[in-house]
DNA sequence: GCGGATCAC
DNA sequence: TATGGTGATCCGC
């Protein structure tokens, strides 16, 4: 399958057309963009990269999924179809009966928020194409830049190709938080229980305001937007509708600096929904859109109802319900009290470009900490750092969890998760590290570009023990909005189970509105964002105290961590390293490494390759250091071979990856690969 | 309970 | 040179 893709690449005169990126989907500010050109540039810049290859792999997987569904689809008999037709009709009627037109929801969305804030603080940027982020990743772009096809989540180096004049501004999260706070003070005046979706958007139930002041929702929206502009200097867009799903769609319609009101009228809603592309709906992303289009020919929300019988035939009930509710324009209308986090995590991608000197400094620090930390192997450095950061974060919120998940992203962008559920609840860095190490060691050797740790199943989280709370009738399901499958869908879970945790945590006020999503996803310095990681109360001004108190500590901790993290050479260690766990399996590697060592150390303490000095007593450390050079050497050789490698080899790699991720047995066979000499390093991912 | 995938921001 | 981080949910085992 991958081979045929390669062929079509060579044959097709426009190969970029088949490279499906998310960058050309219709979004605000993308009108009039030469999509063909954007597609071509993105393709040209990506072609051949590890990232690109992984995208192709995923694409092939989705195609297979689509083929499978088509097959299932074609197998449906007439009697099947008539049966499903009845089921669908009944379901749709039930959902229709749950329609609630009594509330008025407003969705506010700041226009190009980060970019707009940066322009406020530096007026020189005004009118020029600009984006916030780095050469690796953009968080947002202003409207001048969007004209060139520059988009959020696009790597900066591709954006520069599309728009050579593009100005890149690094993220400054403190600034965005400050302005976000200002906007929220305005929101609060209209709905004290507003839902902060992220730093730059919020949902407000303006039913009461409209009623009390006897004003139209349209005027409220205009007034709110004017207030936001007056108090921040920033523009925003708003959408008003009978539920949150529709309000969100509406806020996008007249963006930027505009608004759209959809009346609380069934006919108006059905008309509005009828021609709406499904991709506009929150929860329907690239893949779902693709599947629905390719398998059922569904492009608009209305068609969700037309093809209702197929949907309930091939999807689960909850998924089909979601699709139907989209077709009917139904959404959440309730005001959730609070939502509690269900997991906490920490992950880091290692930069591939690392200065040699910097690298050495890191290694030195590694050794210091290594010594301090007793016997922790050097290559678990990343895990050490992550565990410490995670533990710190957990302690800030008084969280204890019993499930630990290790996330790895290999050099070929394949993502793997490995989890354990423990008897006891943990939150110390030592405990986290102990179990993370086990999980990690079981995966070695592997070349990784990212490591992540996540803890879930918190002490006091009884959601699994009270399934009756989440088991609802179909009517409840829709009216409470769970059919939307969106993040606060469990907001109706009562909070009595969490009280013990909350009360012991000084940083959390009872009755708070949580903002789990407020962390800046793109900010390299995101650790600064302590306040948004914990639950913040917007009903109280006390939240601000929490913010400032956490920042400094996190900041200094972070800077120490970033210096530690991220180097190609360390990645190499994950491949060629020798874990000091006494395992016989590893002994051979260790011997090899010792031979290297004797060649390496001058007068028993000075490295002949880089000059670092490690006292004779630092036996383990010197061994690790040797491994480092050894891995480095291997990697250099590997990359030089890869540069001249032929496509067949990468095919081979893919097969190995696929096999290996299939079962645990395969993982064992991979481990046996340790006995294979050098060329082993060239074929694994 | 685990792991892969999808989605949002 | 170079394609992120955090959290949630669903599905199939």
């Amino acid at each position: 399958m991958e081979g045929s893709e390669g062929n079509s690449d060579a044959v097709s005169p426009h190969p970029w057309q088949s490279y499906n990126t998310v960058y050309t989907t219709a979004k605000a500010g993308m009108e009039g963009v030469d999509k063909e050109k954007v597609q071509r540039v993105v393709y040209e810049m990506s072609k051949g990269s590890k990232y690109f290859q992984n995208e192709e792999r995923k694409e092939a997987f989705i195609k297979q999924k689509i083929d499978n569904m088509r097959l299932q689809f074609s197998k449906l008999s007439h009697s099947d179809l008539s049966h499903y037709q009845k089921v669908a009709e009944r379901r749709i009627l039930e959902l229709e009966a749950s329609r609630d037109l009594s509330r008025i929801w407003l969705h506010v969305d700041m226009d190009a928020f980060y970019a707009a804030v940066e322009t406020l603080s530096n007026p020189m940027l005004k009118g020029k194409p600009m984006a916030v982020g780095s050469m690796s990743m953009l968080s947002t772009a202003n409207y001048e830049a969007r004209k060139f096809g520059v988009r959020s989540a696009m790597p900066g180096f591709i954006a520069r190709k599309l728009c050579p004049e593009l100005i890149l501004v690094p993220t400054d999260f403190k600034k965005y938080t400050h302005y976000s706070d200002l906007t929220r003070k305005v929101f609060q005046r209209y709905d004290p229980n507003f839902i902060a979706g992220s730093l730059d958007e919020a949902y407000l139930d303006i039913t009461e305001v409209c009623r009390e002041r006897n004003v139209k929702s349209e005027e409220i929206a205009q007034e709110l937007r004017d207030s936001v502009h007056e108090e921040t200097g920033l523009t925003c867009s708003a959408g008003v509708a009978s539920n949150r799903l529709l309000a969100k769609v509406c806020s996008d319609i007249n963006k930027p600096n505009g608004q759209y009101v959809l009346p609380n009228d069934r006919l108006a809603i059905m008309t509005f929904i009828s021609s709406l592309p499904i991709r506009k709906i929150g929860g329907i992303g690239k893949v779902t859109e693709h599947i629905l289009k390719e398998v059922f020919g569904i492009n608009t929300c209305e068609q969700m109802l037309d093809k209702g019988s197929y949907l309930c035939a091939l999807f689960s009930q909850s998924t089909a319900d979601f699709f139907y509710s989209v077709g009917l324009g139904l959404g959440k209308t309730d005001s959730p009290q609070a939502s509690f986090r269900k997991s906490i995590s920490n992950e880091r991608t290692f930069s591939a470009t690392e200065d040699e000197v910097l690298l050495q400094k890191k290694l030195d620090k590694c050794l210091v900490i290594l010594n301090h930390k007793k016997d922790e192997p050097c290559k678990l450095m990343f895990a050490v750092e992550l565990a410490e950061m995670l533990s710190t974060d957990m302690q800030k919120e008084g969280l204890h969890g019993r499930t630990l998940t290790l996330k790895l992203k290999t050099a070929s962008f394949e993502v793997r998760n490995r989890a354990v559920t423990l008897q006891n609840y943990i939150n110390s860095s030592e405990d986290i590290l102990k179990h993370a190490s086990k999980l990690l060691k079981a995966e070695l050797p592997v070349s990784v570009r990212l490591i992540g740790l996540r803890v879930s199943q918190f002490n006091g989280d009884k959601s699994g023990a009270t399934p009756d709370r989440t088991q609802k009738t179909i009517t409840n399901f829709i009216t409470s909005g769970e059919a939307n499958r969106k993040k606060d869908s469990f907001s109706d879970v009562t909070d009595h189970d969490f009280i013990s945790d909350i009360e012991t945590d000084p940083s959390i006020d009872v009755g708070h509105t949580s903002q789990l999503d407020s962390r800046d996803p793109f900010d390299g310095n995101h650790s600064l964002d302590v306040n948004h990681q914990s639950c913040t109360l917007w009903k109280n001004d006390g939240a601000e105290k929490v913010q400032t108190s956490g920042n400094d500590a996190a900041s200094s901790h972070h800077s120490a961590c970033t210096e530690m993290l991220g180097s190609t050479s360390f990645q190499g260690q994950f491949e060629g390293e020798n874990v000091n766990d006494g395992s016989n399996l590893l002994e051979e590697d260790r011997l090899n490494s010792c031979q290297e060592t004797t060649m390496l150390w001058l007068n028993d303490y000075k490295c002949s390759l880089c000059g670092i000095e490690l006292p004779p007593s630092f036996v383990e450390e010197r061994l690790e250091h040797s491994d480092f050079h050894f891995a480095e050497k291997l990697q250099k050789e590997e990359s030089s071979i890869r540069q001249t490698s032929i496509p067949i080899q990468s095919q081979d790699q893919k097969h190995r990856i696929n096999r290996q991720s299939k079962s645990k047995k395969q993982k064992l066979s991979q481990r046996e690969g340790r006995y294979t000499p050098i060329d082993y390093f060239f074929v694994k991912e």
Side-chain angles (χ1 to χ4, degrees):
Chain A
M1 182 170 284
E2 279 150 2
S4 67
E5 258 188 19
N7 287 338
S8 72
D9 249 27
V11 171
S12 166
H14 306 300
W16 58 86
Q17 288 172 344
S18 58
Y19 181 41
N20 287 317
T21 66
V22 293
Y23 306 125
T24 47
T25 55
K27 272 272 178 171
M30 296 296 288
E31 303 78 16
V33 173
D34 185 348
K35 286 181 189 166
E36 176 91 1
K37 186 196 167 190
V38 173
Q39 186 98 353
R40 197 176 66 241
V41 171
V42 172
Y43 173 81
E44 289 297 335
M45 298 297 287
S46 302
K47 187 174 54 176
S49 68
K50 286 278 168 56
Y51 175 81
F52 181 86
Q53 289 170 15
N54 189 250
E55 289 300 300
E56 285 184 321
R57 189 178 60 80
K58 289 197 297 189
E59 189 68 29
F61 190 78
I62 294 169
K63 269 187 188 138
Q64 200 179 355
K65 199 169 163 185
I66 288 174
D67 285 344
N68 287 342
M69 292 192 76
R70 278 183 172 154
L71 187 65
Q72 271 183 276
F73 187 31
S74 67
K75 279 182 181 168
L76 292 173
S77 68
H78 279 295
S79 69
D80 286 338
L81 284 175
S82 70
H83 166 72
Y84 286 122
Q85 181 67 38
K86 281 176 198 155
V87 174
E89 280 171 14
R90 194 175 64 232
R91 211 93 192 116
I92 290 168
L93 278 179
E94 282 175 345
L95 293 174
E96 175 59 46
S98 75
R99 189 188 293 275
D100 176 10
L101 294 174
S102 69
R103 311 304 300 178
I104 304 172
W105 279 96
L106 182 150
H107 181 251
V108 216
D109 199 327
M110 303 301 295
D111 302 326
F113 185 53
Y114 297 175
V117 171
E118 292 299 341
T119 306
L120 266 190
S121 58
N122 180 6
M124 298 281 286
L125 296 169
K126 209 166 191 172
K128 296 174 187 163
M130 179 265 280
V132 176
S134 69
M135 284 299 255
S136 298
M137 188 58 56
L138 301 182
S139 86
T140 191
N142 67 7
Y143 281 82
E144 285 81 1
R146 291 187 197 190
K147 287 177 196 160
F148 294 86
V150 175
R151 272 206 48 181
S152 66
M154 180 183 272
F157 71 93
I158 293 181
R160 269 274 169 77
K161 196 79 176 180
L162 289 168
C163 173
E165 309 286 295
L166 184 73
I167 300 171
L168 284 184
V169 179
T171 50
D172 181 354
F173 206 59
K174 262 182 161 172
K175 234 186 278 182
Y176 315 141
T177 307
H178 171 75
Y179 280 95
S180 180
D181 289 352
L182 294 180
T183 67
R184 288 170 181 188
K185 278 179 182 150
V186 177
F187 302 160
Q188 202 177 14
R189 301 207 289 264
Y190 294 87
D191 177 8
N193 298 314
F194 76 89
I195 304 166
S198 64
L199 275 191
D200 75 328
E201 61 180 84
Y203 294 92
L204 287 70
D205 181 346
I206 56 169
T207 317
E208 306 307 326
V209 187
C210 289
R211 194 171 49 81
E212 284 164 15
R213 291 174 46 187
N214 193 27
V215 258
K216 287 183 184 171
S217 57
E218 182 188 338
E219 293 167 55
I220 295 290
Q222 186 64 52
E223 186 188 302
L224 178 140
R225 290 176 45 237
D226 289 344
S227 300
V228 168
H229 187 247
E230 274 169 33
E231 293 176 34
T232 65
L234 302 166
T235 66
C236 61
S237 301
V240 177
S242 59
N243 62 55
R244 300 211 288 276
L245 180 134
L246 291 175
K248 166 103 174 141
V249 176
C250 289
S251 71
D252 196 54
I253 290 178
N254 285 322
K255 190 164 249 306
N257 200 14
Q259 62 184 54
Y260 182 88
V261 177
L262 176 62
N264 286 24
D265 172 75
R266 185 181 177 274
L267 201 61
I269 292 170
M270 295 307 281
T271 307
F272 176 81
I273 235 36
S274 68
S275 59
L276 191 69
I278 53 174
R279 188 66 160 83
K280 293 279 182 185
I281 302 293
I284 297 184
K286 186 183 118 177
V287 175
T288 310
E289 178 193 33
H290 199 198
I291 290 174
L292 290 177
K293 186 176 287 186
E294 295 295 310
V295 181
F296 308 100
I298 294 176
N299 291 290
T300 67
C301 297
E302 187 180 42
Q303 292 170 319
M304 293 280 206
L305 301 183
D306 301 341
K307 317 267 179 174
S309 54
Y310 308 148
L311 294 177
C312 74
L314 292 192
F315 291 98
S316 71
Q317 178 174 318
S318 67
T319 304
D321 278 346
F322 170 64
F323 290 152
Y324 297 154
S325 66
V326 166
L328 291 166
L330 302 177
K332 290 180 201 171
T333 58
D334 63 325
S335 250
Q337 281 303 311
S339 81
F340 293 86
R341 70 155 78 243
K342 294 172 178 60
S343 71
I344 185 165
S345 68
N346 210 321
E347 67 187 60
R348 202 69 27 185
T349 294
F350 316 132
S351 160
T353 57
E354 281 295 335
D355 188 81
E356 276 293 317
V357 181
L358 206 66
L359 190 67
Q360 193 57 58
K361 276 187 182 170
K362 278 182 196 168
L363 190 64
D364 293 347
K365 280 194 184 179
C366 266
L367 292 174
V368 172
I369 291 192
L370 190 87
N371 215 23
H372 183 66
K373 287 267 165 203
K374 295 167 189 154
D375 296 327
E376 285 306 330
C378 187
K379 58 267 171 182
L380 297 183
M381 228 13 250
F382 301 122
V384 174
E385 291 297 330
L386 288 168
E388 283 175 356
M389 290 193 280
L390 188 56
S391 174
T392 305
D393 290 349
M394 289 181 74
Q395 279 162 25
K396 265 180 217 146
E397 296 189 37
L399 295 170
H400 298 254
R402 57 189 281 260
T403 298
L404 179 72
T405 306
L406 170 77
K407 175 179 172 180
L408 298 179
K409 195 189 278 178
T410 67
S412 53
F413 285 85
E414 181 202 2
V415 176
R416 293 184 206 166
N417 287 295
R418 298 292 178 258
V420 276
T421 298
L422 312 164
Q423 291 292 107
N424 303 321
Y425 292 90
I426 61 169
N427 88 343
S428 72
S429 62
E430 288 78 13
D431 283 339
I432 293 172
L433 186 60
K434 186 171 73 186
H435 298 287
S437 302
K438 278 187 212 164
L439 293 171
L440 183 51
K441 283 178 187 175
E443 293 301 308
L444 297 176
V446 62
S447 177
V448 292
R449 75 191 318 280
L450 171 147
I451 297 184
L453 293 176
R454 178 167 73 250
V455 175
S456 51
Q457 296 248 54
F458 297 132
N459 190 6
D461 180 2
K462 305 283 198 323
S463 60
T466 54
D468 50 314
R469 288 212 163 274
T470 53
Q471 196 93 40
K472 313 189 92 177
T473 64
I474 182 60
T475 307
N476 276 342
F477 183 84
I478 294 304
T479 48
S480 76
E482 284 183 21
N484 285 345
R485 306 193 312 175
K486 297 306 293 296
K487 50 193 132 198
D488 33 0
S489 59
F490 285 94
S491 51
D492 58 329
V493 173
T494 52
D495 53 0
H496 71 274
D497 293 325
F498 304 90
I499 286 177
S500 59
D501 276 341
I502 299 299
E503 283 177 347
T504 55
D505 187 340
S507 71
I508 300 177
D509 285 304
V510 178
H512 65 282
T513 300
S514 101
Q515 318 166 223
L516 301 183
D517 259 1
S518 315
R519 255 196 177 188
D520 176 23
F522 298 94
D523 185 6
N525 297 319
H526 78 282
S527 295
L528 288 169
D529 185 26
V530 235
N531 50 311
H532 290 282
Q533 194 172 16
S534 52
C535 297
T536 311
L537 175 62
W538 284 104
K539 293 175 189 170
N540 280 337
D541 287 330
E544 292 186 0
K545 264 189 297 178
V546 180
Q547 277 171 229
T548 42
S549 65
N551 276 346
D552 293 338
S555 161
S556 64
H557 182 68
H558 172 74
S559 64
C561 294
T562 38
E563 280 191 356
M564 295 291 181
L565 295 178
S567 86
T568 312
S569 303
F570 282 134
Q571 291 180 25
Q573 290 209 349
F574 276 97
E575 299 187 17
E577 55 133 345
N578 309 294
V579 184
N580 184 20
D581 61 359
S583 161
N584 288 334
L585 206 62
L586 308 179
E587 210 43 44
E588 189 169 316
D589 275 346
R590 193 157 194 86
L591 287 174
N592 285 337
S593 188
C594 284
Q595 288 170 4
E596 291 277 324
T597 308
T598 56
M599 315 267 293
L600 199 65
W601 298 100
L602 303 171
N603 299 329
D604 273 350
Y605 76 93
K606 186 169 180 176
C607 174
S608 61
L609 293 178
C610 71
I612 187 180
E613 298 181 7
L614 290 169
S617 63
F618 280 45
V619 180
E620 282 298 316
E621 286 79 358
R622 282 211 308 275
L623 205 52
E624 297 290 350
H625 187 81
S626 307
D627 287 347
F628 159 68
H629 281 301
F630 182 56
E632 194 181 46
K633 189 177 146 207
L634 283 175
Q635 232 182 16
K636 276 181 187 156
E637 291 172 13
E638 178 184 11
S639 64
S640 71
I641 286 190
R642 279 213 178 143
Q643 275 169 7
T644 57
S645 77
I646 40 176
I648 290 171
Q649 190 177 4
S650 83
Q651 294 280 324
D652 190 34
Q653 279 178 36
K654 286 180 183 173
H655 286 309
R656 281 168 190 263
I657 293 165
N658 289 338
R659 266 196 299 125
Q660 166 204 340
S661 56
K662 267 179 190 156
S663 72
K664 301 205 172 180
K665 278 183 193 169
Q666 296 292 351
K667 257 186 282 172
L668 283 176
S669 74
Q670 188 203 10
R671 192 174 255 279
E672 287 161 16
R674 277 179 174 278
Y675 293 107
T676 317
I678 288 186
D679 63 340
Y680 168 74
F681 289 95
F682 305 140
V683 290
K684 89 184 143 36
E685 70 276 58

